[in-house]
RNA sequence: CGGGGCGUAGCGCAGUCCGGUUAGCGCGCCUGCUUUGGGAGCAGGAGGUCCUGAGUUCGAAUCUCAGCGCCCCGACCA
């Protein structure tokens, strides 16, 4: 293997794959389009899961689990849904050596199996709301796959809620959108734009789809999470009704929302550099690695002991590791932990022990800081916070520097190709004009923003009146 | 499904055009010694259905035919 990684400048896609290999996150499996998530990569997913799970529970949700298999007839009950998903589904036709009476779809998403179940759970407004999340795997037979960003099978969470009114469902959809935004910004240190998808881009079967969109270091957009207001579509398809307080029978209102292992890909492409993975401290499974250094064998046990003494009080307070392997030299270890994205490395050799200090190295900047050994833990915790903030600010500065406001179509078409980036443009709302964006460069409307000031203008394509700008970019 | 490329050791590759000793190189791995503050050095060693099948030939990694698989570029997508 080459000593260094492919650089982002030379070949961004190859760099992405190199980072995954160097950090030992995942590899291709024997099954086409499916990946093996290795322990180091899975640990990151567990950090993501842990925090999101807390946030879901704080907002009143509970976890449950529904089957992997969905009877074919269920898939066909919601017209738009089946049209959108059927072409990319895996279907089981045989079981126990016999052909099945009815084929079973491997879930591409669980709306249908869940709403067929909710039918039995809901009779009265008193049964509502239902606020359920499930952690699961799903399968979508994609034509082209990329590790973490798009694999045939992937891990995700999907929330499926049931409500008594359209207003309540909309409030839930937006509440989760805000959970996703907070998670992206405060934990992933990834700034996102929040907004609404166009009719063309919305989820198959939804009334409205909201999303968070992030910018990767190649200036392409990545949809990092979606929250759908499903209206009464699935309740109608599965005939799920409830009696309201007036005794009137109504169809139930629904939402669904999800984020996936794609977030690991987002993390990689937001922060990592040409030396490997860079992880935001809050999602780093391992936050500190301590590398004792010795010259002679006699020093080895001494330095190991000093390392254990130094960290004795850290147990249970911070995730750390002492790398005292004797078969590798310090330089090798420095490099290895850099590739793996550990936020803080501590070097401690005989010179440091003599000076009663350690050398602390930041992964985000490479800066080396001498720190006294006394009271080290609080200093490290403060530094982790600082790294977390720095990564967020760095990512936001990058995104802002590559986001442009444009009012002329020719200028847009030229600049989306080179240098690329995010573009705020006026759009009249017609699908014809929406398709036009794609002609120039495969760019699409990523989102109709929620949190930006409205501003009247003229559609950049046709000149018709526009009430606000939308975000256009090339995407993953 | 269209266009391109590739299957040789765990990984990356050379050898294939023009058939011929025991199939080679780098990394990694194992053993030993010397090393250890930014990817160590030396010595020894282990590891191969050359993608599969059939054919041509005295002889096939190499030539022929068929098949399988994977990767990259497009259309589909979290």
């Amino acid at each position: 293997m080459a000593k260094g990684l492919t650089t982002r400048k030379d070949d961004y896609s190859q760099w992405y794959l190199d980072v995954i290999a160097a950090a030992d996150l995942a590899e291709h499996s024997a099954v086409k389009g499916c990946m093996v998530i290795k322990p180091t990569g899975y640990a990151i997913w567990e950090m993501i899961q842990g925090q999101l799970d807390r946030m879901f529970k704080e907002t009143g949700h509970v976890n449950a689990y529904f089957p992997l298999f969905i009877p074919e007839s269920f898939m066909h009950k919601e017209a738009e849904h089946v049209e959108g998903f059927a072409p990319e589904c895996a279907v089981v036709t045989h079981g126990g050596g016999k052909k099945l009476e009815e084929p079973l779809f491997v879930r591409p998403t669980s709306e249908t199996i869940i709403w067929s179940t909710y039918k039995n759970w809901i009779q009265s407004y008193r049964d509502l709301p239902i606020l359920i999340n499930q952690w699961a795997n799903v399968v979508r037979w994609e034509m082209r796959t990329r590790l973490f960003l798009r694999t045939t099978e992937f891990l995700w969470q999907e929330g499926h809620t049931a409500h008594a009114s359209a207003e309540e469902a909309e409030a839930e959809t937006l509440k989760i959108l805000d959970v996703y935004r907070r998670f992206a910004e405060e934990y992933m240190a990834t700034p996102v734009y929040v907004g609404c998808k166009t009719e063309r881009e919305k989820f198959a079967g939804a009334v409205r789809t909201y999303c968070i969109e992030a910018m990767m270091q190649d200036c392409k957009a990545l949809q990092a999470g979606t929250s759908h207001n499903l209206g009464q579509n699935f309740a109608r398809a599965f005939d799920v009704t409830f009696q309201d307080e007036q005794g009137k029978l109504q169809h139930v209102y629904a939402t669904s929302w999800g984020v996936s292992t794609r977030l690991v890909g987002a993390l990689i492409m937001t922060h990592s550099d040409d030396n490997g993975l860079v992880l935001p401290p809050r999602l780093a499974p391992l936050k500190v690695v301590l590398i004792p250094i010795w010259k002679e064998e006699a020093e080895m046990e001494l330095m190991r002991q000093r390392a254990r003494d130094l960290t004795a009080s850290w147990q249970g307070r911070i995730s750390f590791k002492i790398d005292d392997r004797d078969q590798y030299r310090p330089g090798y270890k420095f490099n290895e932990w850099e590739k793996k994205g550990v936020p803080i490395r501590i070097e401690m050799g005989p010179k440091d022990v003599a000076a009663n200090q350690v050398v602390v190295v930041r992964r985000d900047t490479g800066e080396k800081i001498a720190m006294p050994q006394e009271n080290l833990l609080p200093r490290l915790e403060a530094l982790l916070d600082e790294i977390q903030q720095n990564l967020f600010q760095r990512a936001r500065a990058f995104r802002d520097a590559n986001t442009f406001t444009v009012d002329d179509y020719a200028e847009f078409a030229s600049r989306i190709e080179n240098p690329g980036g995010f573009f705020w443009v006026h759009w009249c709302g017609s699908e014809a004009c929406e398709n036009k964006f794609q002609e120039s460069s495969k760019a699409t409307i990523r989102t109709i923003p929620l949190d930006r000031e409205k501003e009247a203008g003229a559609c950049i394509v046709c000149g018709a009146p526009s009430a606000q700008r939308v975000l256009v970019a090339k995407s993953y």
Side-chain angles (χ1 to χ4, degrees):
Chain A
M1 203 195 292
K3 232 177 179 186
L5 278 63
T6 306
T7 63
R8 285 164 289 184
K9 195 166 144 283
D10 283 348
D11 184 344
Y12 191 83
S13 299
Q14 191 56 50
W15 165 81
Y16 174 74
L17 295 171
D18 283 1
V19 172
I20 291 170
D24 205 27
L25 302 180
E27 62 188 35
H28 283 108
S29 71
V31 184
K32 178 180 175 151
C34 296
M35 65 175 168
V36 174
I37 306 176
K38 301 180 79 173
T40 322
Y42 199 81
I44 297 171
W45 177 239
E46 286 180 312
M47 295 295 288
I48 291 172
Q49 276 187 306
Q51 179 53 32
L52 278 172
D53 204 63
R54 273 189 291 279
M55 293 171 90
F56 296 151
K57 284 170 180 162
E58 278 165 14
T59 45
H61 302 84
V62 291
N63 287 330
Y65 188 79
F66 294 84
L68 169 70
F69 298 122
I70 300 176
E72 179 174 31
S73 55
F74 287 19
M75 287 298 296
H76 286 281
K77 289 197 171 172
E78 213 288 330
E80 278 185 27
H81 189 70
V82 69
E83 193 191 329
F85 281 107
E88 58 181 56
C89 284
V91 182
V92 179
T93 56
H94 288 73
K98 285 193 300 189
K99 188 162 190 287
L100 300 174
E101 286 286 314
E102 181 181 4
L104 295 171
F105 277 49
V106 178
R107 64 183 164 213
T109 178
S110 301
E111 276 77 7
T112 55
I113 188 76
I114 287 178
W115 278 87
S116 76
T117 308
Y118 281 0
K119 178 178 168 53
N120 304 323
W121 293 0
I122 300 168
Q123 279 89 39
S124 148
Y125 70 93
R126 294 196 174 97
D127 296 325
L128 298 171
I130 295 177
L131 303 173
I132 284 182
N133 174 65
Q134 91 166 345
W135 291 97
N137 59 338
V138 288
V139 167
R140 297 182 187 177
W141 219 260
E142 305 287 356
M143 312 264 179
R144 269 190 72 194
T145 57
R146 303 190 70 186
L147 290 176
F148 290 112
L149 296 179
R150 189 176 301 104
T151 46
T152 301
E153 179 190 12
F154 58 94
L155 306 182
W156 77 346
Q157 58 72 211
E158 47 181 326
H160 294 274
T161 68
H163 306 269
S165 74
E167 297 71 34
E168 203 182 302
E170 178 71 3
E172 166 76 7
T173 313
L174 291 171
K175 179 193 280 180
I176 292 298
L177 185 69
D178 193 57
V179 166
Y180 287 161
R181 181 193 60 74
R182 274 167 41 217
F183 178 75
E185 299 193 341
E186 294 171 19
Y187 290 84
M188 295 178 64
T190 301
V192 291
Y193 286 118
V194 296
C196 193
K197 285 288 182 193
T198 65
E199 276 297 300
R200 201 188 71 165
E201 301 277 332
K202 76 178 186 189
F203 176 77
V207 170
R208 251 189 315 284
T209 288
Y210 296 98
C211 63
I212 55 173
E213 294 280 332
M215 183 189 278
M216 304 296 100
Q217 288 183 70
D218 60 352
C219 295
K220 283 166 78 173
L222 184 76
Q223 180 174 308
T226 47
S227 182
H228 316 290
N229 183 337
L230 304 175
Q232 294 169 303
N233 291 347
F234 284 88
R236 282 199 203 93
F238 288 89
D239 192 29
V240 186
T241 56
F242 71 101
Q243 263 190 317
D244 64 21
E245 290 175 66
Q246 284 75 45
K248 221 177 82 200
L249 218 51
Q250 282 197 54
H251 281 109
V252 177
Y253 295 85
T255 83
S256 70
W257 26 274
V259 299
S260 71
T261 33
R262 165 177 274 196
L263 291 184
V264 178
L267 227 38
I268 296 166
M269 289 203 291
T270 304
H271 302 298
S272 299
D273 61 24
D274 293 344
N275 294 321
L277 188 64
V278 176
L279 285 173
R282 285 180 159 193
L283 293 179
L286 185 61
K287 303 194 196 311
V288 176
V289 64
L290 170 58
I291 302 176
I293 297 164
W294 52 82
K295 267 216 172 5
E296 302 135 33
E297 189 139 1
E299 273 174 330
M300 187 169 79
E301 267 319 306
L302 176 70
M303 293 311 303
R304 281 176 165 163
Q305 189 54 49
R306 295 299 293 248
R308 283 193 293 270
D309 292 346
L310 183 69
T311 57
S313 65
W314 297 3
Q315 297 289 347
R317 298 171 68 187
I318 192 168
S319 160
F320 72 97
K321 182 186 185 71
I322 299 172
D323 184 358
D324 60 358
R325 292 174 296 176
D326 190 32
Q327 68 265 41
Y328 297 115
R329 296 165 56 160
Y332 180 93
K333 297 180 189 173
F334 297 167
N335 182 257
E336 174 170 345
W337 295 111
E338 249 160 41
K339 288 191 297 193
K340 292 192 167 176
V342 178
I344 293 180
R345 175 177 84 237
I346 300 177
E347 307 171 8
M348 185 174 70
K351 283 182 258 174
D352 300 303
V353 168
N356 199 32
Q357 64 161 31
V358 292
V359 175
V360 173
V361 186
R362 293 172 62 149
R363 177 63 184 89
D364 60 335
T365 61
E367 187 189 355
K368 295 193 175 190
I369 310 157
M371 285 189 187
Q373 291 187 12
E374 281 75 43
N375 218 17
L376 186 56
L377 187 58
R379 289 178 214 272
L380 295 177
E381 283 166 339
L383 184 58
L384 287 169
D385 282 344
E386 197 182 319
I387 292 171
Q388 180 82 26
Q389 292 311 315
N390 179 52
L391 287 175
F392 178 69
Q393 279 158 21
R394 194 159 86 179
R396 193 172 53 188
F398 178 84
R399 183 193 66 177
D400 292 350
N402 290 288
T403 301
F404 310 102
T405 301
V406 174
D407 289 315
D408 176 70
Y409 187 80
E411 186 188 348
F412 159 76
S414 149
R415 286 173 65 182
I416 189 94
E417 277 305 329
N418 185 20
F422 281 10
F423 292 83
W424 289 113
V425 303
H426 276 293
W427 172 58
C428 64
S430 79
E431 196 162 330
C433 290
E434 181 176 8
N435 292 336
K436 194 87 194 304
F437 291 119
Q438 212 157 2
E439 280 174 25
S440 51
S441 65
K442 300 182 311 187
T444 47
I445 298 176
R446 301 315 305 158
T447 196
I448 303 164
L450 289 181
D451 54 354
R452 270 187 124 235
E453 253 176 68
K454 298 234 158 107
E455 162 205 338
C459 175
I460 192 173
V461 179
C462 72
S466 149
Q468 63 174 318
R469 292 180 185 274
V470 297
L471 187 68
V472 180
K474 292 194 210 185
S475 74
Y476 277 96

